[in-house]
Amino acid sequence: MKILVFSDTHRKTEPMANIIRKNLGKVDLVIYLGDKYTDLAEIRDDFPQVAFLGVCGNCDLFVSDKYPVYDTVSLEGHKLFFTHGHRFDIRVSDTVLGFEAKKSGADIALYGHTHVGAYYEKNGVTFFNPGSLSEPRDGKRGSYGLITLTPEKATFEHLYLP
């Protein structure tokens, strides 16, 4: 199973749409980690043949009462806990996010909010942040993630805009 992961698009939807368009038939799911949930709603309408999951971020004030700030999904023998990260103080530490992921039984924690890509394992949880597609804060180009899941393993890639 292949999953595209996006975060922090901040109303710049065209790059996300282009990436999804190029990957039609190659990916099984798109997960959106917030900061402009309306971006997800717009994209979802353009690609009815694609499965989407998403959560709200700190900039989603007008829709945060309608959509979750975190969620979980079980796929290919893995459980993913996904969130924007602001409610778990991810800019300060990964401790709360890791605790909540473990509490939910997840082996993978996906988050955004920092606008900086990350990939590491800690206390039995793999943490993955795809970075920001439109406003990166790490001096790199806009980025997104690709996760490949099999029952035996999970692989994580950061991919960058040209």
Side-chain angles (χ1 to χ4, degrees):
M1 168 171 265
K2 292 196 180 284
I3 305 166
L4 286 173
V5 185
F6 297 100
S7 188
D8 298 288
T9 51
H10 295 280
R11 299 297 303 143
K12 297 175 184 133
T13 59
E14 194 57 34
M16 184 166 56
N18 288 337
I19 292 162
I20 294 169
R21 195 172 293 111
K22 288 177 187 172
N23 285 281
L24 285 175
K26 299 176 192 171
V27 297
D28 304 291
L29 176 64
V30 173
I31 296 179
Y32 186 72
L33 301 175
D35 269 0
K36 287 310 184 188
Y37 193 90
T38 52
D39 293 358
L40 172 62
E42 181 181 317
I43 293 297
R44 180 184 284 155
D45 291 345
D46 292 342
F47 299 99
Q49 71 275 42
V50 176
F52 289 88
L53 295 173
V55 292
C56 290
N58 58 297
C59 294
D60 293 313
L61 303 175
F62 299 110
V63 296
S64 62
D65 60 334
K66 298 176 187 172
Y67 302 103
V69 293
Y70 69 90
D71 206 347
T72 61
V73 64
S74 295
L75 303 165
E76 296 287 333
H78 301 274
K79 188 167 186 182
L80 289 71
F81 182 97
F82 57 100
T83 185
H84 185 62
H86 64 294
R87 295 270 178 96
F88 299 98
D89 295 322
I90 195 63
R91 283 191 180 155
V92 176
S93 166
D94 61 17
T95 302
V96 177
L97 177 57
F99 174 80
E100 291 297 326
K102 288 284 268 197
K103 186 169 97 176
S104 75
D107 57 322
I108 298 169
L110 305 178
Y111 69 96
H113 190 52
T114 65
H115 294 230
V116 176
Y119 167 54
Y120 59 96
E121 188 171 330
K122 185 175 177 182
N123 299 325
V125 175
T126 300
F127 291 80
F128 185 72
N129 181 332
S132 173
L133 195 59
S134 65
E135 298 177 9
R137 295 181 181 155
D138 57 3
K140 298 178 182 176
R141 296 181 310 248
S143 64
Y144 60 102
L146 178 65
I147 301 172
T148 304
L149 297 177
T150 67
E152 297 79 33
K153 69 178 184 174
T155 59
F156 301 83
E157 297 177 69
H158 286 102
L159 302 169
Y160 297 89
L161 294 175

